[in-house]
Amino acid sequence: MRVKNSLKFFASEAVTFILVLVLAFEGLAATNLNAKDEWVAFASGGISGTVQVIGVPSLQTIKLIPVGVDTHEPVFSGSNKPGTNGSPDGRYVYINDKGDSAVGVVDISTQELVRKYNIPGPFGPHHIAITPDGKYLFATGELSGKMAKIDVASGNVEVIDVSDGLESAPDYALVTHDGKYCLATDYYRSGVHVIEVDSFKRVKFIPAGKNPHGIDLTMDGKYALVAGKLSGNIPVIDIAKMEVIKNIDLTHPVPGFNKSAAPGPLHTVMTNDGKWAYTTLFVDNALAKIDLEKMEMVKKIPVHYRPGHLQITPDSKYITVWNKYSTGLFAGAISNQDPTNVELVDVATDEVIARAPTVPEPHNAKIIKADAVHGYLNASLPPEGHASLWPPHRDPNVVARLIPEDKGAPGVTKTDDGVVEVRLQEFSYGFKPEKITVKKGDRVRIILTNIDKATGLTNDPAPVHGFIINEYGLQTNWGVPQGKSVVFEFEADKAGKFAMFCSYFCGPLHLEMRGWFVVEA
């Protein structure tokens, strides 16, 4: 089984940790293997570095397509009209790789990576959005305060800095239906950048919520709904005016839920009749249902647990909810993130009707008609299930080992054999030390320790913390359970200042878990 070959990077304890997740995949699928799916979801595979291909409504993983290091946002080629799924032409799926400052191109007919657009780094793309004519992709540089514009045909990439010299994290983006503007939330600056598509210049900055995350257009293209992550609301931007005209409160009590000071809204989808919106509430373990005519929340739908992203089928029959935690749901799992899962909500009843585990950890997804995907119409999942599809997504030359919790003080020293040894602690939500400085050509040994006792702000069981250094992705892509340490070595062969970040969605302030790896020439 190929999964065994891809797990050689850890010693026996870590192999056990990952294999528990794989066994959950094989034994706990939520629906019939022979189900015939009308829809196919192309979802990010997070730190698996893949695109996950999942049948809907069966929720069965059909294939994992290796792309890179840390994938986040899939976008279909074609047009961005209408709604969040766009109007795909059935040819390609674009997906950003946050760990490698790149955008991969997957051929839908062959389910293979056929091209990569490399963005000048350091950059750290969190999200991509396509123009209505399908000619350009925009990428948000979460780790750099920059935006990129990619010419799909030529591969030419333009980059602008939108930070204004301030702490900046461009997060999610959309392109208006008239193709004139790209709007991008900025997590640290608590607002939305308005960028003119043709000139690729920022023309306005709109304050919107506190630490906003997702941004999505209504079906008619008149309004953008911003997820005010730490303000607990949805600022509504009038596209014609380019200003906030209303804030939808997500904190007030509704049946089954008390008043919530910090519900944690992240992402929104709309039904194709334009009547309803659904927003993930990470802290509340729920979806908020919003009446778009009244611009008011009318109910909350419990999900399991810590929802991040969601997607709706183009016929508005189902919503797929991609949950970061699965605490207590799967036998044998040893952490709240092992395994992550996808749930299926029936829009007619607003109830969860199915659940299945996924590879860690899912971000966004886009859904296409099954008959538009070669080889998937009426396809059945082979009996071997998920485990045989686990991808080889790490540098085979880098060996890591899991050890008991290292008790050494955090810091940087040089060993007798000339290796730069870094003791680095991870916790909710930061690193100690926050900055590591080495010289180009140094051999670097990192002893990475997860010292968390519980998840910050939500008090969930201690999370698995991930670790990636942007631009050093394949060499540094590791996860650490609570109370353990991972030891790995690599060569610092590129000079510059690179962001190091947690690659598991570990809690409400996950995006603020960032430090710096500086390589002096």
Side-chain angles (χ1 to χ4, degrees):
M1 194 163 59
R2 280 182 289 172
V3 65
K4 292 182 179 178
N5 293 328
S6 69
L7 293 172
K8 289 180 179 177
F9 52 86
F10 273 165
S12 59
E13 285 190 73
V15 170
T16 301
F17 172 70
I18 300 295
L19 281 177
V20 166
L21 182 149
V22 172
L23 290 172
F25 285 171
E26 291 184 318
L28 292 166
T31 51
N32 187 347
L33 292 177
N34 295 316
K36 308 303 181 184
D37 288 316
E38 184 179 0
W39 305 99
V40 174
F42 286 81
S44 73
I47 61 165
S48 72
T50 67
V51 173
Q52 302 185 60
V53 185
I54 294 177
V56 178
S58 75
L59 301 186
Q60 294 301 291
T61 296
I62 302 168
K63 188 172 184 179
L64 301 179
I65 305 170
V67 172
V69 182
D70 183 21
T71 56
H72 277 236
E73 175 67 20
V75 170
F76 288 128
S77 60
S79 171
N80 73 351
K81 292 184 178 180
T84 56
N85 285 286
S87 301
D89 59 16
R91 298 183 65 194
Y92 301 107
V93 175
Y94 307 111
I95 190 160
N96 64 306
D97 186 346
K98 180 177 169 182
D100 201 29
S101 292
V103 175
V105 184
V106 171
D107 187 317
I108 291 177
S109 66
T110 63
Q111 299 93 56
E112 293 179 347
L113 181 71
V114 295
R115 185 176 185 179
K116 269 198 171 183
Y117 302 117
N118 294 307
I119 303 172
F123 188 82
H126 189 112
H127 179 83
I128 54 177
I130 196 167
T131 55
D133 58 12
K135 292 183 178 180
Y136 299 101
L137 289 167
F138 286 86
T140 56
E142 178 202 326
L143 304 179
S144 60
K146 298 176 180 179
M147 293 287 297
K149 180 182 179 181
I150 303 169
D151 185 305
V152 169
S154 68
N156 181 60
V157 180
E158 298 178 69
V159 176
I160 59 172
D161 192 321
V162 295
S163 70
D164 299 321
L166 303 171
E167 190 171 26
S168 172
D171 203 346
Y172 272 75
L174 59 80
V175 179
T176 56
H177 284 173
D178 60 10
K180 292 183 179 180
Y181 300 101
C182 172
L183 276 63
T185 58
D186 193 310
Y187 181 85
Y188 280 124
R189 298 189 62 186
S190 292
V192 175
H193 300 284
V194 182
I195 297 167
E196 193 174 61
V197 166
D198 289 342
S199 67
F200 194 37
K201 292 181 179 178
R202 188 185 58 199
V203 296
K204 191 172 185 177
F205 182 79
I206 307 170
K210 181 173 174 55
N211 301 92
H213 193 55
I215 182 169
D216 295 278
L217 277 174
T218 54
M219 298 296 288
D220 58 13
K222 292 182 178 180
Y223 305 102
L225 304 187
V226 179
K229 180 177 178 180
L230 297 188
S231 51
N233 64 2
I234 295 182
V236 180
I237 295 175
D238 185 310
I239 296 298
K241 298 177 180 179
M242 286 299 175
E243 62 184 43
V244 174
I245 60 166
K246 183 178 177 63
N247 284 286
I248 302 173
D249 178 32
L250 303 177
T251 68
H252 67 78
V254 293
F257 288 83
N258 296 326
K259 182 176 175 63
S260 174
L266 293 180
H267 292 279
T268 302
V269 295
M270 270 70 68
T271 55
N272 59 16
D273 59 10
K275 292 182 178 180
W276 306 102
Y278 294 82
T279 300
T280 52
L281 302 178
F282 180 87
V283 177
D284 279 4
N285 291 320
L287 304 185
K289 185 175 183 178
I290 297 162
D291 183 323
L292 286 174
E293 182 178 355
K294 297 178 180 179
M295 292 290 183
E296 294 178 356
M297 179 178 66
V298 296
K299 70 187 300 186
K300 291 182 181 179
I301 304 161
V303 295
H304 312 83
Y305 300 99
R306 307 302 179 198
H309 299 72
L310 76 172
Q311 195 48 264
I312 191 166
T313 53
D315 63 357
S316 296
K317 186 175 180 181
Y318 301 111
I319 294 172
T320 57
V321 185
W322 307 86
N323 298 313
K324 305 296 187 181
Y325 293 4
S326 294
T327 311
L329 296 180
F330 298 103
I334 59 176
S335 86
N336 52 349
Q337 297 166 308
D338 172 21
T340 49
N341 75 82
V342 57
E343 290 187 308
L344 193 71
V345 172
D346 185 329
V347 173
T349 63
D350 287 336
E351 294 181 352
V352 174
I353 60 173
R355 179 187 303 126
T358 67
V359 297
E361 43 101 358
H363 289 270
N364 219 346
K366 295 293 186 297
I367 298 174
I368 193 171
K369 195 77 171 174
D371 58 11
V373 183
H374 176 74
Y376 285 140
L377 184 61
N378 296 324
S380 298
L381 184 73
E384 63 266 24
H386 300 68
S388 65
L389 301 170
W390 195 278
H393 65 283
R394 293 181 171 90
D395 187 332
N397 298 313
V398 176
V399 178
R401 53 195 175 93
L402 193 71
I403 63 174
E405 182 176 356
D406 178 74
K407 299 296 185 179
V412 181
T413 58
K414 201 156 191 175
T415 65
D416 292 340
D417 58 359
V419 174
V420 176
E421 189 168 85
V422 181
R423 279 184 157 82
L424 182 65
Q425 294 178 343
E426 293 187 290
F427 52 89
S428 304
Y429 298 93
F431 297 96
K432 190 174 183 179
E434 292 183 342
K435 182 180 178 181
I436 299 167
T437 302
V438 302
K439 293 190 179 296
K440 186 177 180 181
D442 278 348
R443 187 74 187 169
V444 179
R445 177 186 301 134
I446 293 182
I447 305 172
L448 182 67
T449 303
N450 181 348
I451 64 171
D452 257 338
K453 305 302 180 186
T455 301
L457 299 182
T458 62
N459 206 36
D460 288 304
V464 176
H465 283 303
F467 182 78
I468 293 177
I469 299 174
N470 182 235
E471 307 285 317
Y472 282 85
L474 286 175
Q475 298 165 287
T476 61
N477 184 11
W478 309 107
V480 194
Q482 185 270 334
K484 300 288 185 181
S485 299
V486 169
V487 183
F488 60 96
E489 294 185 18
F490 64 100
E491 182 182 346
D493 56 2
K494 287 181 283 191
K497 183 180 180 181
F498 308 98
M500 56 186 187
F501 60 95
C502 178
S503 53
Y504 271 89
F505 201 104
C506 56
L509 300 185
H510 162 73
L511 285 179
E512 299 184 27
M513 193 167 166
R514 190 193 301 183
W516 298 100
F517 182 70
V518 179
V519 183
E520 297 176 340

